[in-house]
Amino acid sequence: MTVVEPAVPYAWPYDGILEPARIALVVAGAQDAWVARSRRAADVAATVLGVANAMREAGSLIVAVRHTLPAGGRPVALPPPVGDIGWRLSFPAPLFDVVVDAGGVDGFHGSVLDGVLRRRGIDRLVLVGFGHEAAVDSTLRSANDRGYECLLLADAVAPLDDDLSAHALDSVAMSGGIFGAVATSTALLSAIRAPVEAIP
């Protein structure tokens, strides 16, 4: 069996069977407004690109979430869903299989994300993106509430504030993994690329 190890607080996924077809990579904050406000956005974008390409090759779904942002109490218009879907960074147009528009910071709020995932038999999410302690963390917590087993990639999230981001990372793994597990992109890619062992 192949698992993501090391991961904190447990080797992910919990049942020890890494099946790419049951996993979606969810890129939260997939728009200019979040990228522009986030720290280390260019480095995170490069990491996300590498993870997305490897996961797609393995058979996982790649999803981008765009979030409305409050501005004087009104939603901000979302970037048009064409080409680079509003990224300021150089992602190729076909990077994402699905682009979901959410009605708030939580990627599940007012969106079709849950339905898209369930129709495809996906019950595990790898979360990355921009505005870590807002868009990514809110989406992760909501996913956990809906029964998805989550893995957050610590080197593939761009924070708004380093201290808040550190607290958000710690909270995922508290109490034995109350919201999921935390690992690095290197650990995930090693697990995905490892040869599958036969189950006796």
Side-chain angles (χ1 to χ4, degrees):
M1 292 184 234
T2 302
V3 294
V4 178
E5 193 173 24
V8 177
Y10 62 89
W12 190 89
Y14 189 77
D15 66 3
I17 303 171
L18 188 68
E19 296 178 60
R22 292 174 58 190
I23 303 170
L25 176 70
V26 176
V27 185
Q31 65 203 98
D32 286 352
W34 288 108
V35 173
R37 295 166 63 192
S38 299
R39 298 171 184 252
R40 298 180 295 283
D43 290 341
V44 166
T47 302
V48 169
L49 180 60
V51 170
N53 286 332
M55 289 185 69
R56 170 178 285 113
E57 186 176 320
S60 296
L61 182 73
I62 313 301
V63 180
V65 179
R66 298 181 303 182
H67 314 258
T68 56
L69 298 172
R74 296 182 181 173
V76 171
L78 293 168
V82 294
D84 65 1
I85 67 156
W87 292 87
R88 290 186 182 189
L89 305 166
S90 56
F91 280 89
L95 177 65
F96 304 111
D97 300 313
V98 178
V99 178
V100 172
D101 288 329
V105 177
D106 167 11
F108 288 89
H109 179 73
S111 81
V112 297
L113 181 56
D114 191 50
V116 166
L117 298 173
R118 294 195 189 282
R119 279 193 301 275
R120 295 173 187 245
I122 291 169
D123 58 357
R124 295 169 179 170
L125 305 181
V126 175
L127 290 111
V128 300
F130 302 87
H132 167 217
E133 62 276 34
V136 181
D137 194 59
S138 295
T139 302
L140 178 145
R141 288 167 184 260
S142 188
N144 177 268
D145 288 347
R146 287 169 168 77
Y148 294 96
E149 186 181 2
C150 300
L151 178 70
L152 180 71
L153 299 185
D155 59 336
V157 291
L160 303 173
D161 178 89
D162 287 323
D163 289 337
L164 291 176
S165 178
H167 290 299
L169 276 174
D170 288 343
S171 72
V172 174
M174 67 183 182
S175 300
I178 191 169
F179 296 113
V182 178
T184 64
S185 59
T186 302
L188 173 66
L189 296 181
S190 294
I192 286 175
R193 293 172 176 152
V196 177
E197 298 176 10
I199 300 173

